[in-house]
């Protein structure tokens, strides 16, 4: 993909010329040149791939009650503390996604005319695959735009974004009105269906002609030709499974409380679309045993080759073989990191006891020994006072009273914690940093994990059919949550008595599912969107812990400044000013 993009950019920039100052216009690359230059044509689609919002980790958790940052210039910090406006929006997806959709539409207008290869049936397969990728990508970008910019207008309509499926040129009328939220959801579904019909579920090599899909086999395609087009070399591309995952995510959004009143989304649809993906891996029994530690499974990561996925991943970024930038940003100062993301006491309190009971319901919870006998995920995801960390098993001291300790609360070095906690999730602790030496380790980041789909299903199934209802699937919300907590070693010694106590209570199961989602997906960019789609309070102050000797005192670290209308993001101010057909969401 990088090679394709390089050629595409070079083709746009390089022109033949008679001399240095007078380019020969006839040698400028035009879109139509892609008809006889397949690499150039594919580069148009590659441009869309590069705009995936999840090509890197944003840590927008800083805008929620789950984290703060010690970076005073952080845009999410500014957003959460009162500087979020329609022309200053770090959550904006408008320009990038619209640009990606433009390139997709441009590609779709040309793809059937491009000569990809000389063999007709292979040319047909290439054309089908690339069209399928384009439709899947357009569904993805429309989902991200909808999530960021859908909202209620002043006259009480739930609106989405403009649906653009034709090529725009310099003569186009760009003054489009917004489509309704429902129309946008249906456009996503339609594109996913097109992708499903054209793409394989996954890109894998086959070994016999009998495995070639009938529509191609009847035209004379053999398995070698099929592998050239749909084989394992394309594992990182949009596939039918990935496209179906975006349909599942869109269905959950449409059924959520913030959107349900103005849409036709249903919890049953959301459960079924997410369940369709889970049925492919055996339902609740298909939960990856190491899925909650994907970021530090060294053997698993080291053995990822050729775009292959571990069991937890539906789609992932490429592997960086010797990375250490994340550790430099997030390790505590004593490990030569900048400690940028600081989990809050709010999030720490959300982790139950090891027996599965919330700390508010557990008599054994000790406020002056708060990390004893807790959910093991707390130690996996968050550095607490006394954590052993790094290759040298250094004990991290986050206390406030040890002034010689660079890791302590609010030290003057600018890199210490503001909450009494540091981030542990995502980090490879076999990375070594010092003032003179760095030793990196392989990393990758997820775009879509199966754990998200399991939690999507649990939420939707509980709302549609109750905690133990299964619909047309062979497992319930209860079954999924039981599997997730068992994987985390929660409630192992008592049969998860807390889960058993709530399995007949839809409201309590809802609360538990939302909390499990908060824990399992923390620091992966979900909390902000989840709070909004649940119509929950965005203004919960971010809290920390001040440790002096044996005394633990909770304190407010940072207030959250959001108005009620901010449950729905704005249309960019620059767009509303330019195009009077665009209606702004109420309040912005």
């Amino acid at each position: 993909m990088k090679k394709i993009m390089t050629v595409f950019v070079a083709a746009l920039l390089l022109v033949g010329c008679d001399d240095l100052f007078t380019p020969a216009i006839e040698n400028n690359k035009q879109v139509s040149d892609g008809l006889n230059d397949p690499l150039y044509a594919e580069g148009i689609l590659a441009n869309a791939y590069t705009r995936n919002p999840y090509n890197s980790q944003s840590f927008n958790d800083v805008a929620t009650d789950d984290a703060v940052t010690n970076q005073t210039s952080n845009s999410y910090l500014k957003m959460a503390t009162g500087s979020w406006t329609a022309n200053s929006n770090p959550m904006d997806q408008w320009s990038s996604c619209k640009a990606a959709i433009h390139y997709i539409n441009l590609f779709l207008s040309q793809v059937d005319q491009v000569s990809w290869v000389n063999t007709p049936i292979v040319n047909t397969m290439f054309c089908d695959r690339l069209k399928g990728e384009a439709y899947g990508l357009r569904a993805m970008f429309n989902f991200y735009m909808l999530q960021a910019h859908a909202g209620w207008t002043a006259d009480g309509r739930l609106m989405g974004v403009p649906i653009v499926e034709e090529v725009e040129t310099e003569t186009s009328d760009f003054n489009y009105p917004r489509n309704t939220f429902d129309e946008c959801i249906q456009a996503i579904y339609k594109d996913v269906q097109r992708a499903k019909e054209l793409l394989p579920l996954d890109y894998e090599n086959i070994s016999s002609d009998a495995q070639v899909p009938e529509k191609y086999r009847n035209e004379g395609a053999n398995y070698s030709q099929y592998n050239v087009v749909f084989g394992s070399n394309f594992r990182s591309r949009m596939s039918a499974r990935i496209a179906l995952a975006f349909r599942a995510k869109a269905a959950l959004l449409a059924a959520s409380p913030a959107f349900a009143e103005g849409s036709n989304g249903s919890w049953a649809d959301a459960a079924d679309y997410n369940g369709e993906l889970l049925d492919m891996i055996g339902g609740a029994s298909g939960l990856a045993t190491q899925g909650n530690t994907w970021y530090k499974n060294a053997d698993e990561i080291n053995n990822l080759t050729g775009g292959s996925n571990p069991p937890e991943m539906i789609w992932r970024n490429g592997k960086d073989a010797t990375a250490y930038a994340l550790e430099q940003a997030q390790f505590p100062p004593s490990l030569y990191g900048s400690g940028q993301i600081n989990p809050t006491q709010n999030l720490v309190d959300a982790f139950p006891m090891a027996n599965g009971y919330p700390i508010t319901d557990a008599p054994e919870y000790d406020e002056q020994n708060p990390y004893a006998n807790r959910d093991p995920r707390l130690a996996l995801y968050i550095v607490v006072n006394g954590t052993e960390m790094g290759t040298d098993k250094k004990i991290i001291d986050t206390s406030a009273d040890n002034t010689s300790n660079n890791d302590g609360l609010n030290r003057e070095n600018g890199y210490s914690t503001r909450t009494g906690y540091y981030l542990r999730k995502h980090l490879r602790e076999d990375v070594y940093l010092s003032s003179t030496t760095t030793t990196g380790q392989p990393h990758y980041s997820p775009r879509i994990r199966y754990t998200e789909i399991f939690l999507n299903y649990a939420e939707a199934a509980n709302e549609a059919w109750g905690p133990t209802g299964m619909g047309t699937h062979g497992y319930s919300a209860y079954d999924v949550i039981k599997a997730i907590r068992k994987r985390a070693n929660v409630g192992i010694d008592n049969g998860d008595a807390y889960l058993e106590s709530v399995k007949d209570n839809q409201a309590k199961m809802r609360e538990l599912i939302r909390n499990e989602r908060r824990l399992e997906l923390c620091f992966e960019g979900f909390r902000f969107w989840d709070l909004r789609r649940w119509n929950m309070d965005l203004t919960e102050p971010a809290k920390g812990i001040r440790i002096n000797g044996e005394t633990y005192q909770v304190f407010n670290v940072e207030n959250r400044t959001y108005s009620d209308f901010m449950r729905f993001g704005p249309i960019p101010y620059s767009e509303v000013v330019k195009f009077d057909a665009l209606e702004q969401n109420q309040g912005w």
Side-chain angles (χ1 to χ4, degrees):
M1 185 61 67
K2 291 180 181 177
K3 291 179 182 177
I4 292 171
M5 196 61 209
T6 300
V7 171
F8 175 60
V9 173
L12 291 176
L13 296 177
L14 294 176
V15 294
C17 54
D18 297 323
D19 57 55
L20 183 62
F21 302 103
T22 309
I25 299 301
E26 65 271 18
N27 284 343
N28 285 340
K29 278 282 188 181
Q30 304 296 320
V31 171
S32 59
D33 292 327
L35 301 181
N36 297 307
D37 185 349
L39 193 61
Y40 175 80
E42 193 172 359
I44 299 174
L45 185 63
N47 192 299
Y49 269 105
T50 65
R51 297 173 187 271
N52 188 327
Y54 276 77
N55 279 332
S56 60
Q57 176 59 265
S58 70
F59 288 117
N60 60 31
D61 311 75
V62 166
T64 76
D65 54 353
D66 273 3
V68 301
T69 180
N70 59 26
Q71 297 176 289
T72 57
S73 61
N74 184 282
S75 59
Y76 297 120
L77 180 153
K78 294 178 179 179
M79 170 184 167
T81 53
S83 298
W84 191 15
T85 66
N87 60 4
S88 179
N89 179 13
M91 296 296 187
D92 176 66
Q93 296 292 339
W94 191 276
S95 297
S96 180
C97 288
K98 277 187 67 69
I101 290 170
H102 169 75
Y103 281 105
I104 290 167
N105 292 339
L106 184 61
F107 178 79
L108 286 170
S109 73
Q110 299 287 321
V111 60
D112 286 325
Q113 305 168 58
V114 176
S115 177
W116 300 103
V117 292
N118 292 328
T119 306
I121 183 55
V122 179
N123 191 77
T124 296
M125 289 192 292
F126 266 115
C127 190
D128 284 355
R129 194 202 80 210
L130 291 166
K131 280 194 291 188
E133 290 180 48
Y135 288 128
L137 287 171
R138 192 165 68 185
M140 177 189 78
F141 286 112
N142 274 318
F143 167 76
Y144 285 131
M145 282 189 73
L146 196 62
Q147 178 180 247
H149 300 290
W152 296 86
T153 57
D155 58 357
R157 291 174 299 142
L158 180 59
M159 303 301 290
V161 297
I163 298 172
V164 181
E165 296 184 348
E166 302 294 332
V167 177
E168 295 172 298
T169 69
E170 65 275 8
T171 62
S172 296
D173 180 4
F174 296 94
N175 195 18
Y176 304 114
R178 296 166 66 184
N179 288 84
T180 67
F181 180 88
D182 264 331
E183 288 170 340
C184 293
I185 289 291
Q186 293 306 314
I188 291 170
Y189 289 173
K190 183 178 179 181
D191 274 343
V192 169
Q193 183 60 33
R194 289 166 167 167
K196 180 182 178 182
E197 292 169 356
L198 293 168
L199 296 174
L201 185 64
D202 303 297
Y203 294 104
E204 298 296 340
N205 290 335
I206 60 176
S207 57
S208 73
D209 291 348
Q211 294 173 278
V212 176
E214 184 178 2
K215 63 179 178 179
Y216 300 131
R217 190 170 66 248
N218 289 343
E219 297 297 321
N222 60 49
Y223 78 92
S224 295
Q225 292 170 323
Y226 181 86
N227 288 342
V228 166
V229 182
F230 295 107
S232 59
N233 285 340
F234 303 98
R235 282 172 174 162
S236 60
R237 301 288 192 97
M238 173 64 67
S239 68
R241 190 187 300 268
I242 295 166
L244 291 172
F246 278 102
R247 183 179 68 176
K249 288 162 71 78
L252 185 76
L253 184 73
S256 297
F259 302 99
E261 183 180 341
S263 80
N264 292 315
S266 74
W267 288 116
D269 283 346
D272 284 335
Y273 287 146
N274 283 277
E276 180 179 341
L277 285 162
L278 300 183
D279 290 346
M280 297 175 188
I281 61 169
S285 64
L287 185 72
T289 55
Q290 291 185 295
N292 60 332
T293 56
W294 54 268
Y295 58 94
K296 55 180 272 183
N297 299 339
D299 290 343
E300 185 177 80
I301 297 171
N302 294 340
N303 291 326
L304 290 177
T305 58
S308 59
N309 274 327
E312 171 65 10
M313 295 299 149
I314 294 178
W315 201 18
R316 66 176 177 87
N317 286 312
K319 185 173 75 172
D320 190 330
T322 56
Y324 53 82
L326 190 60
E327 287 72 24
Q328 281 186 324
Q330 305 302 343
F331 272 176
S334 65
L335 295 179
Y336 293 90
S338 299
Q340 292 178 0
I341 303 300
N342 307 152
T344 60
Q345 187 66 41
N346 315 54
L347 177 58
V348 170
D349 287 346
F351 287 88
M353 302 300 290
N355 64 14
Y357 280 86
I359 62 172
T360 53
D361 295 353
E364 66 272 23
Y365 173 68
D366 183 355
E367 292 182 351
Q368 299 307 312
N369 188 17
Y371 314 125
N373 301 315
R374 296 292 292 277
D375 179 338
R377 290 172 294 188
L378 175 59
L380 283 174
Y381 299 157
I382 296 175
V383 177
V384 305
N385 187 53
T387 294
E388 289 185 356
M389 193 175 187
T391 56
D392 297 331
K393 302 297 182 183
K394 181 176 179 58
I395 295 177
I396 306 301
D397 180 358
T398 66
S399 62
D401 55 357
N402 184 354
T403 57
S404 64
N405 169 30
N406 286 335
D407 296 335
L409 186 70
N410 290 326
R411 298 277 78 85
E412 294 181 0
N413 57 33
Y415 302 124
S416 69
T417 177
R418 297 175 59 207
T419 63
Y421 302 105
Y422 291 98
L423 181 67
R424 199 171 199 180
K425 190 175 184 179
H426 297 290
L427 307 183
R428 289 282 303 260
E429 292 182 44
D430 47 355
V431 165
Y432 177 78
L433 305 176
S434 75
S435 59
T436 58
T437 305
T438 56
T439 303
Q441 295 291 346
H443 291 66
Y444 74 93
S445 59
R447 289 178 175 144
I448 307 176
R449 294 204 287 131
Y450 266 113
T451 295
E452 176 195 349
I453 304 302
F454 275 105
L455 289 162
N456 289 356
Y457 176 83
E459 179 180 343
N462 181 59
E463 301 297 339
W465 310 309
T468 57
M470 299 182 184
T472 59
H473 307 274
Y475 45 93
S476 64
Y478 161 81
D479 293 325
V480 167
I481 297 303
K482 187 176 183 66
I484 287 174
R485 283 160 70 92
K486 181 179 180 180
R487 180 178 69 179
N489 287 318
V490 171
I492 298 299
D493 294 337
N494 65 354
D496 205 347
Y498 181 74
L499 175 61
E500 296 301 316
S501 74
V502 304
K503 73 176 184 178
D504 296 320
N505 186 315
Q506 187 183 50
K508 287 187 177 296
M509 182 61 81
R510 178 187 303 126
E511 184 179 342
L512 178 58
I513 291 169
R514 290 180 177 182
N515 196 68
E516 286 296 314
R517 185 179 181 91
R518 182 181 190 179
L519 304 184
E520 287 282 337
L521 302 180
C522 64
F523 309 111
E524 296 183 44
F526 286 92
R527 179 67 172 168
F528 178 77
W529 308 111
D530 285 342
L531 288 173
R532 290 175 67 193
R533 67 182 181 84
W534 291 332
N535 276 337
M536 292 183 68
D537 185 15
L538 294 171
T539 63
E540 177 71 24
K543 299 176 182 179
I545 194 77
R546 182 178 290 109
I547 305 171
N548 289 291
E550 301 299 319
T551 302
Y552 291 72
Q553 181 183 12
V554 176
F555 70 102
N556 280 2
V557 176
E558 191 173 272
N559 289 328
R560 294 284 175 256
T561 307
Y562 292 109
S563 300
D564 284 346
F565 66 82
M566 292 178 176
R567 290 196 180 96
F568 303 93
I571 305 300
Y573 177 73
S574 60
E575 298 297 298
V576 175
V577 168
K578 286 186 293 187
F579 305 119
D580 58 13
L582 279 176
E583 293 180 77
Q584 182 60 279
N585 288 330
Q586 187 174 12
W588 292 98

